């Protein structure tokens, strides 16, 4: 069984805050299993050897707000964080996000 995890480096060091309620966001791991024949299935190469697994587990890390139950990916939250810095406030309206 193959295993892969994807986490952006900025997620390890930056603190992000929810744009709806202002609470510090938590990191949450989402798992996805790919079976041979799926469109996301990849052959994993190590040097000249190809590993032929029948199943692959791909984990990705996203931001999760414990109050609002909103899940955002890193790139989306990074743009929200930039808007929060420019507006100099954590809680944003829908008009601010546009």
């Amino acid at each position: 069984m193959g295993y892969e995890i994807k986490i952006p480096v900025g997620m390890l060091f930056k603190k992000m805050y929810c744009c709806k309620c202002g609470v510090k966001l938590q990191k949450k791991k989402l798992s996805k299993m790919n079976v041979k024949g799926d469109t996301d299935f990849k052959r994993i190469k190590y040097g000249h050897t190809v590993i032929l697994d029948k199943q692959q587990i791909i984990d990705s890390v996203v931001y999760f707000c414990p109050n609002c139950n909103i899940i955002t990916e890193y790139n989306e939250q990074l743009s929200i964080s930039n808007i929060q810095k420019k507006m100099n406030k954590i809680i944003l309206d829908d008009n601010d996000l546009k």
Side-chain angles (χ1 to χ4, degrees), residues 19-21 70 80 83 87 89-98:
C19 63
K20 303 289 182 189
C21 64
I70 296 174
I80 291 171
I83 294 170
M87 301 292 264
K89 58 183 179 177
I90 294 175
I91 299 173
L92 301 175
D93 299 333
D94 291 334
N95 295 333
D96 296 338
L97 292 175
K98 294 179 182 177

Side-chain angles (χ1 to χ4, degrees), residues 6 13 23 31 33 38 40-41 48 50 54-55 61 66 68 73 77 86 90-91 96:
K6 297 178 183 178
F13 302 107
V23 173
S31 296
M33 181 176 283
D38 288 345
D40 295 338
F41 188 81
H48 296 288
V50 176
K54 294 181 181 178
Q55 296 177 346
V61 181
C68 304
E73 292 186 7
Q77 186 60 39
K86 287 180 184 176
I90 294 175
I91 299 173
D96 296 338

